[in-house]
Amino acid sequence: MGEILRLAQPDPKGSPSPSKGRGRRRFGAVRRLPSGRWQASYLVDGRRCSAPTTFATKTDADKYLARMETEISDGRWIDPAGPKTLLADYARAWLDAKADLRPKPRETYLTLLNKYILPDLGTKSFNRLTPQVVREWYQALRAKSPHQAAKAYRLLAAIMHTAVTDRLIVQTPCTLKGAGREQSPERPTVSVEEVFALAEAIDPKFKVAVHLATWCHLRRGELLGLKRKDIDLVSATLTVERQVQEVTLPDEEGRQRTSRQVGRPKTDAGARKVAIPAHLCTLLEGYLSESVPADPEAFLWSAKDGGPMWVWPLERAWTRARATVGRPEVHLHDLRHAGLTWAATTGATIRELMARGGHASPAAAMRYQHAASDRDREIAEGLDRLAKKALLRLFSFERGLRTSGRQPCS
């Protein structure tokens, strides 16, 4: 083995200690290899890092250590192993480290990684993952699927941000402004009459679900998570405190398994109490008495095992209903959107819309106020047309009077 000449003596407070006698140094260690070349290494966070190359002279090794000491002090140090790290290895370790990640987001991240990110970028090491490479990947993906491209870019940017924190790269290659923002297409609107038509067209056991989604603005998972105890017909309120989601994740043997997950709403704002419109209370009372067990813990829609219903029975019934009324493009979630838009037209404030819809930020609730404003503009334009028609009739009447020589009434 080569002779170790000098060994780092880190200061307990985190700064290098001064030299103490011959053969001691402030930072790092150098040793001469059997080949005659010199190797330099140093400690960072309790881990020894070696220089990526050996040096012809001890002076060159010392210069390298001095440079590393300065970079660590200035916050510019990068792990020598970082540039050689493969994105696939780091991304999977990044996801595994998120132990508190909920099942549905984990499923989404896995899909984005395995379908959109890793096939093109996974075999690239960090030193080859340049802004140009990321830009070309994003543009190619965006041409195929703009919605998924935004999600995938956002996930990649989060991973690379952590890589910067871990000192594996100097700066993130994700530098495209606005690439992570999704431009969601405008959803179709439904009328009040169409909501009632859809409720009549769907399987009778889901009639209440159509109205709850519309008038109480519930998401699909919130609908399936409702229990008898959540409905209070005396106070005409319902409580949202759980949601049901179907999640497909690999099991211990690597096989894909789909399961129902019952958990808290996605955000604290999602847990809420919503006032039920009076016309819906009567319908709910009948459904509870005829179709739901008396047990307070009973789900409003349950599977044979007593647990929450799977998603597919509701979605299949919905697909048939919307086809029956001639609106195959309408999603179940569009009912929630319609109901919140109508709530905005009643004069509900942004905070009130946030409370009813379970929104964590004003941005989503403001969409419904904008929709109400658009409707108000349509009303104003309609009034304008009425006024112009009246003015035109009045002008024609007065012109007729002048032609005949008669005077208009004062």
Side-chain angles (χ1 to χ4, degrees), residues 80-324:
K84 298 179 182 179
T85 302
L86 296 182
L87 175 62
D89 295 337
Y90 186 77
R92 292 193 176 101
W94 179 89
L95 187 56
D96 290 343
K98 291 189 170 295
D100 58 344
L101 191 64
R102 296 167 64 126
K104 196 63 179 179
R106 184 175 297 277
E107 178 192 31
T108 300
Y109 287 174
L110 270 174
T111 300
L112 291 172
L113 282 173
N114 294 331
K115 190 172 181 180
Y116 300 109
I117 298 176
L118 299 185
D120 294 321
L121 303 178
T123 58
K124 294 186 181 299
S125 56
F126 282 170
N127 59 351
R128 295 174 56 207
L129 206 59
T130 64
Q132 179 181 353
V133 168
V134 172
R135 182 170 59 252
E136 291 174 353
W137 160 79
Y138 169 77
Q139 290 172 344
L141 180 56
R142 190 174 186 276
K144 299 176 183 178
S145 178
H147 192 66
Q148 297 299 333
K151 289 183 177 181
Y153 184 89
R154 198 161 59 240
L155 176 58
L156 178 62
I159 294 171
M160 300 314 295
H161 175 76
T162 306
V164 173
T165 303
D166 289 344
R167 297 179 177 179
L168 298 178
I169 53 176
V170 177
Q171 59 186 13
T172 174
C174 299
T175 57
L176 286 172
K177 292 184 178 179
R181 289 198 296 267
E182 301 170 45
Q183 300 295 329
S184 301
E186 189 70 24
R187 295 300 309 152
T189 58
V190 294
S191 65
V192 176
E193 293 76 12
E194 285 175 322
V195 168
F196 281 98
L198 286 161
E200 292 302 320
I202 203 168
D203 184 324
K205 67 182 175 183
F206 295 122
K207 180 177 180 178
V208 170
V210 170
H211 285 293
L212 286 173
T214 305
W215 305 108
C216 295
H217 328 302
L218 300 187
R219 303 171 176 92
R220 185 182 66 186
E222 295 169 349
L223 280 170
L224 296 178
L226 285 176
K227 294 183 177 181
R228 173 181 272 275
K229 67 179 183 180
D230 300 325
I231 309 298
D232 185 348
L233 294 177
V234 176
S235 63
T237 60
L238 66 81
T239 302
V240 179
E241 60 181 28
R242 76 191 66 79
Q243 65 174 352
V244 177
Q245 294 179 319
E246 289 183 8
V247 180
T248 302
L249 291 169
D251 60 15
E252 294 180 355
E253 299 177 356
R255 292 175 295 186
Q256 297 294 314
R257 298 288 187 184
T258 300
S259 62
R260 289 164 297 175
Q261 300 282 340
V262 181
R264 294 280 297 172
K266 183 178 179 180
T267 64
D268 291 340
R272 62 198 188 277
K273 183 171 287 189
V274 181
I276 306 171
H279 75 274
L280 183 51
C281 287
T282 302
L283 188 63
L284 264 171
E285 184 177 14
Y287 179 76
L288 289 173
S289 63
E290 297 172 7
S291 305
V292 183
D295 183 359
E297 294 294 331
F299 286 96
L300 265 60
W301 296 276
S302 59
K304 292 181 179 180
D305 61 4
M309 180 176 285
W310 292 84
V311 168
W312 66 265
L314 174 58
E315 283 298 332
R316 184 169 64 180
W318 173 254
T319 299
R320 291 173 177 172
R322 65 185 184 180
T324 300

Side-chain angles (χ1 to χ4, degrees), residues 309-378:
M309 180 176 285
W310 292 84
V311 168
W312 66 265
L314 174 58
E315 283 298 332
R316 184 169 64 180
W318 173 254
T319 299
R320 291 173 177 172
R322 65 185 184 180
T324 300
V325 301
R327 295 300 305 274
E329 76 283 6
V330 176
H331 295 170
L332 185 64
H333 193 79
D334 294 331
L335 299 180
R336 165 181 159 86
H337 177 83
L340 284 168
T341 301
W342 299 335
T345 63
T346 69
T349 65
I350 290 177
R351 184 168 294 278
E352 289 166 340
L353 290 172
M354 289 174 63
R356 283 192 70 82
H359 294 123
S361 69
M366 287 178 66
R367 290 201 305 263
Y368 304 108
Q369 281 213 331
H370 290 161
S373 298
D374 292 343
R375 177 59 184 153
D376 189 52
R377 173 50 52 195
E378 292 176 10

